[in-house]
Every structure is written in structure tokens, then in C-alpha cells.
């Protein structure tokens, strides 16, 4: 590949992961950060963010030559703030150049910047690339956090991480008919031209809406507590006064609320979604509820000519913020396909499971396992303490064995630090256990482990832990 003639200090448009092309500046990499092996890339600092990353040469374009093109295709307040930051930088740079020209005429012409060398695979000394006038990136107080997060897996910082949905033909004998492909392909998401509505801005909904906006979707929001909408309005969302108004204004309306009652009220209550449904309008229920609720909502939406999809999500607040949820969908397949860009923005993987109700069943099973496992971890930590064993040592051993996972590490750290800030509400996991047990009863299938875990969570709720993280189930064992 031919050398890319960019210099340190050049302004560029760069692709960072799933985000749209973003304005940045080619800077000198720190001495202790090696270039990813086999990659032709530059180290870029992005405007309006705290992000720095190695970016492949084919993912970079000169800033000035592509400015008009990028401004036309990219929207959103954060993007505009980043462009404004570039323009401020240019104004300041121009002022400095004018001052230096007036003072430096007798000192001869300024030596032009040298083209940036594209390092070969074996090059390790990056100090030759450093511009003496450039402040070292490692002096940035935010850089150490970035460096730590990237040093574990340097390659992914180079690779686009957007997702695509791959349609697989239905297996007539199975209710689980599709696994979506989360393979990275081109680092970009083309937002649907359909108008998107979103109802419910809780722990999960807030992250979902944020990612929809970042990826360029046109989103109208509503929340029972209206103040929660303010931040998203500032980010470019529109405000709906009622669920009915959102459903009538938008082509696809998503909802994500706490429980079956809230889901029903949102659709069937005063100024509810049902009043705004017209033929062809799409409604996507993302709440974790029981199959019976899904069946009821599907029937009333389709009775008005609407199209219905359920799409509960597996994950936490952090995964929602990161756009890395797992989406389980069922119902109208054409709605699922229409939601493609939305699901790519909010999740890493999507499954289509057939008829409405199947996603609710699968989600309750997942959360039953999830909740029971958390209760067992808490039980193990308290038993270790009761028998004179180190809880930290137990965690260290767990994290070196077959049970090692981010979930185990994070939840155990929560417990050891006494930090129960909610990432997934305890009251919600107890609700899901209760619904899973009820589903087992209807199928005449035993759920003794889930029943035992449910009792522990009920004890934790009685100790005022409902609005804490699910890891606060630990407190049920120590009181």
C-alpha cells in the first residue's frame, strides 16, 4: 500500500469504531504505546471527546477536502460541537501563525513538516514521529484511562465494531430461527429514514436512546418523569407530550418500562399508545414481561392495523450505554427487518425467535439463570466469611478458573467495596424470577433453584434493597 501523506498536526476525518466519521488531529503516539502489528495507521486525537486511537489509513480523510460532505451526512449536537472545536482550533492556529510571521521574517523561512512515516510491522521506536511542538498525549489526564482500556486488546481499537443483521431462513421445526451475525464489516451504520419514537428513559432506555441519537436516528422521546427527557432534547431528540402523540408521529415506537403493569398502562391507559396507532405503524415492546402480556399487547396493536414486535434486551446499564446489548426479538418479521439499524446501534447481537411470546419466554429463562447465579455468588462470599476464608481470595480464585467472567468480577467487587449503585435493579431481577417461576408452573415444570433464589431476593427487598443493584442480594445473607 502506498504511503499516506499525512503529517503530525494534520486535521482529518477518522472512523472510530461504530461512530460516524469524526474530526480529529494526527498526533504523536506515546513512546510506550506500540503500533498494532501489521496495521498501516496513524495515531489520532478526536475533537470534542476524550478519545485517542490508532486509525487505519483507509479510515482517514483530510479534514478540509471532505468537510462539506461530512457535515451533510452527520447530524447531532455532539458532532456539531466537535466541528466547532475544530474551527476554534483553526482560528487560534491562524492567529499564532500571523504573530510568528511578523516576528520571524529575519530568521528565515519555517521548515515544513515532514510527511508521517508509515511504520513497518517490526518498527517499535515511535519517538521519531514526535513533533517537538506537540504536547505529549500521555500528559492528557484522560489518556491513561484510554491506554489501560486499549492495552489489553490493541487490535479492536483498530477494527470497526459495527454490527449487521443477517437473515437466516426459518427452520420450520424450531422456534429459535435466527442468530444475527455481529461480525464487523465496515465500521458504519446507516440510520433508517423512519421516524423513531422511544418511551421510557430508565437505566436501559437511556443508553439505548443515546446510541440511537449518536448513530444519526431521528428520535422522539417520552418519559413519565418528563425531566429525564431534557438531556436527550439537548442531544437532538424531539419531545412527545404523550405516548399516543409519539406513536402517531413516529413510524416505529419502542418502549422499555419496568414491568407488565407499566407495559399495559403505556399502551392501554389514558393517552396511551393504542390511541396513536394507525395502519402500518410499528410498536416494539422492549420491556421484560410475561408471554401473556406480550400476547395481549400484540392483539390490541394489530387490531388497529398496527405491526407488533417484542424485543427485550439482555444486559445491564453499562452494556446499554456501550451499545452492546443482546436483543431477543419475536413477532412481525418485517418490523424486525425495519429495525435493523436501530438494533445495530443498541446491541452487539440480535436473535429472531419466531412468534410473539417466544422472546419473553427466552428472556425470563435467561434472567432466571442470571438471578439464581448472583444469589449463589453472594451465598458463597458470605459462607467464605463465616468460615474464616478470605472473600478477596475466593474472588481471585474464581477469576482464574472456568467461572471467570466480567460479571463475576464486577459483582464481587461491588460486594467487597459495598458499592451497590444500580446497574440492574434488584427489584427487577426479583420480578423476572417471579415471572419465570410462574411460567414454569404453567408448563408444569419444576423451578426449585429459581424459587429458592426468589426467596433470597424477597428478603433483600424487605431490607430496602429494591433500588440497589442486584448484587445487593448479598445483604440478605448478612442480616
Amino acid at each position: 500500500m502506498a504511503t499516506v501523506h499525512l503529517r503530525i498536526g494534520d486535521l482529518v476525518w477518522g472512523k472510530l469504531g461504530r461512530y460516524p466519521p469524526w474530526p480529529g488531529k494526527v498526533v504523536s503516539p506515546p513512546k510506550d504505546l506500540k503500533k498494532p502489528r501489521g496495521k498501516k495507521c496513524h495515531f489520532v486525537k478526536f475533537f470534542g471527546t476524550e478519545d485517542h486511537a490508532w486509525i487505519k489509513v483507509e479510515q482517514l480523510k483530510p479534514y478540509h477536502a471532505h468537510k462539506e460532505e461530512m457535515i451533510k451526512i452527520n447530524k447531532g449536537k455532539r458532532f456539531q460541537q466537535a466541528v466547532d472545536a475544530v474551527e476554534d482550533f483553526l482560528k487560534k492556529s491562524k492567529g499564532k501563525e500571523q504573530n510568528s510571521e511578523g516576528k520571524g521574517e529575519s530568521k528565515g523561512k519555517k521548515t515544513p513538516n515532514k510527511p508521517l512515516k508509515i511504520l513497518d510491522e517490526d518498527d517499535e521506536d515511535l519517538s521519531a514521529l514526535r513533533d517537538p511542538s506537540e504536547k505529549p498525549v500521555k500528559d492528557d489526564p484522560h489518556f491513561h484511562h484510554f491506554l489501560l482500556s486499549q492495552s489489553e486488546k490493541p487490535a479492536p481499537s483498530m477494527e470497526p465494531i459495527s454490527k449487521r443483521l443477517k437473515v437466516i431462513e426459518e427452520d420450520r421445526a424450531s422456534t429459535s430461527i435466527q442468530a444475527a451475525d455481529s461480525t464487523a464489516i465496515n465500521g458504519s451504520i446507516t440510520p433508517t429514514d423512519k421516524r423513531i419514537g422511544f418511551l421510557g428513559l430508565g437505566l436501559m432506555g437511556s443508553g439505548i436512546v443515546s446510541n440511537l441519537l449518536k448513530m444519526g436516528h431521528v428520535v422522539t422521546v417520552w418519559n413519565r418523569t418528563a425531566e429525564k427527557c431534557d438531556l436527550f432534547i439537548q442531544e437532538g431528540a424531539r419531545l412527545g407530550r404523550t405516548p399516543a402523540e409519539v406513536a402517531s408521529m413516529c413510524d416505529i415506537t419502542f418502549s422499555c418500562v419496568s414491568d407488565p403493569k407499566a407495559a399495559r398502562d403505556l399502551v392501554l391507559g389514558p393517552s396511551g399508545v393504542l390511541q396513536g396507532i394507525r395502519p402500518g405503524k410499528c410498536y416494539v415492546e422492549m420491556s421484560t414481561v410475561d408471554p401473556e402480556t406480550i400476547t395481549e399487547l400484540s392483539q390490541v396493536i394489530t387490531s388497529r392495523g398496527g405491526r407488533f414486535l417484542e424485543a427485550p434486551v439482555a444486559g445491564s446499564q453499562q452494556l446499554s450505554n456501550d451499545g452492546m446489548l443482546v436483543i431477543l426479538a419475536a413477532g412481525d418479521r418485517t418490523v424486525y427487518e425495519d429495525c435493523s439499524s436501530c438494533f445495530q446501534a443498541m446491541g452487539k447481537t440480535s436473535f429472531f425467535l419466531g412468534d410473539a411470546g417466544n422472546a419473553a419466554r427466552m428472556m425470563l429463562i435467561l434472567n432466571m439463570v442470571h438471578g439464581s447465579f448472583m444469589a449463589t455468588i453472594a451465598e458463597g462470599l458470605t459462607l467464605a466469611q463465616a468460615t474464616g476464608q478470605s472473600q478477596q481470595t475466593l474472588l481471585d480464585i474464581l477469576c482464574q478458573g472456568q467461572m471467570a467472567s466480567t460479571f463475576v468480577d464486577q459483582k464481587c467487587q461491588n460486594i467487597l467495596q459495598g458499592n451497590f449503585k444500580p446497574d440492574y435493579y434488584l427489584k427487577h431481577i426479583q420480578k423476572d424470577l417471579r415471572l419465570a417461576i410462574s411460567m414454569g408452573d404453567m408448563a408444569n415444570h419444576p423451578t426449585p433453584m429459581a424459587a429458592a433464589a426468589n426467596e433470597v431476593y424477597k428478603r433483600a427487598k424487605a431490607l430496602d434493597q429494591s433500588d440497589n443493584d442486584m448484587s445487593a442480594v448479598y445483604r440478605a445473607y448478612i442480616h
Side-chain angles (χ1 to χ4, degrees), residues 14-20 39 51 53-56 59 146 149-150 153-165 181-190 211 214-215 318-325 340-350:
K15 287 288 299 176
L16 178 60
R18 297 180 299 113
Y19 294 96
K39 306 294 183 181
D51 292 325
W54 289 104
I55 306 295
K56 290 188 291 187
Q59 298 285 357
F146 170 81
S149 66
Q150 297 298 313
K153 298 179 181 179
S157 67
M158 279 293 305
E159 297 296 333
I161 58 172
S162 69
K163 285 83 64 179
R164 63 187 172 98
L165 303 177
D181 185 353
S182 62
T183 304
I185 48 170
N186 59 14
S188 65
I189 293 173
T190 302
N211 282 303
K214 285 177 184 176
M215 295 303 138
Q318 186 59 55
L319 292 175
S320 177
N321 292 342
D322 293 342
M324 297 298 283
L325 295 167
S340 174
S341 73
C342 297
F343 289 159
Q344 290 179 72
M346 65 181 75
K348 66 175 181 179
T349 308
S350 172

Side-chain angles (χ1 to χ4, degrees), residues 140-344:
D140 185 331
H142 301 295
F143 180 75
H144 293 287
H145 171 72
F146 170 81
L147 182 57
L148 287 172
S149 66
Q150 297 298 313
S151 61
E152 296 177 1
K153 298 179 181 179
S157 67
M158 279 293 305
E159 297 296 333
I161 58 172
S162 69
K163 285 83 64 179
R164 63 187 172 98
L165 303 177
K166 182 171 70 176
V167 176
I168 297 176
E169 289 303 317
E170 180 174 353
D171 176 359
R172 301 293 179 182
S174 172
T175 57
S176 179
I177 65 174
Q178 175 184 351
D181 185 353
S182 62
T183 304
I185 48 170
N186 59 14
S188 65
I189 293 173
T190 302
T192 179
D193 58 1
K194 296 182 183 299
R195 294 163 297 181
I196 303 301
F198 205 96
L199 312 174
L201 299 173
L203 291 184
M204 305 298 278
S206 292
I208 290 171
V209 170
S210 179
N211 282 303
L212 288 172
L213 290 169
K214 285 177 184 176
M215 295 303 138
H217 294 84
V218 177
V219 185
T220 299
V221 296
W222 175 90
N223 191 71
R224 184 174 56 182
T225 306
E227 291 76 14
K228 285 189 176 182
C229 297
D230 293 344
L231 175 62
F232 301 101
I233 302 304
Q234 293 173 16
E235 296 297 330
R238 301 172 182 179
L239 179 64
R241 293 175 295 179
T242 66
E245 182 177 84
V246 174
S248 66
M249 290 170 55
C250 299
D251 302 302
I252 304 174
T253 300
F254 294 85
S255 73
C256 188
V257 292
S258 58
D259 56 35
K261 182 180 184 304
R264 285 190 179 96
D265 289 347
L266 201 59
V267 174
L268 304 171
S271 301
V273 168
L274 194 59
Q275 295 181 24
I277 290 293
R278 302 289 183 272
K281 297 282 187 181
C282 302
Y283 188 66
V284 183
E285 181 58 79
M286 303 194 79
S287 313
T288 300
V289 298
D290 55 281
E292 293 71 33
T293 297
I294 290 298
T295 299
E296 179 183 357
L297 297 182
S298 176
Q299 289 175 348
V300 297
I301 294 294
T302 55
S303 71
R304 295 289 182 89
R307 300 156 62 202
F308 181 85
L309 184 77
E310 59 167 331
V313 292
S316 61
Q317 181 185 31
Q318 186 59 55
L319 292 175
S320 177
N321 292 342
D322 293 342
M324 297 298 283
L325 295 167
V326 175
I327 301 154
L328 308 184
D332 190 325
R333 183 104 182 218
T334 62
V335 179
Y336 175 67
E337 293 164 358
D338 286 345
C339 292
S340 174
S341 73
C342 297
F343 289 159
Q344 290 179 72

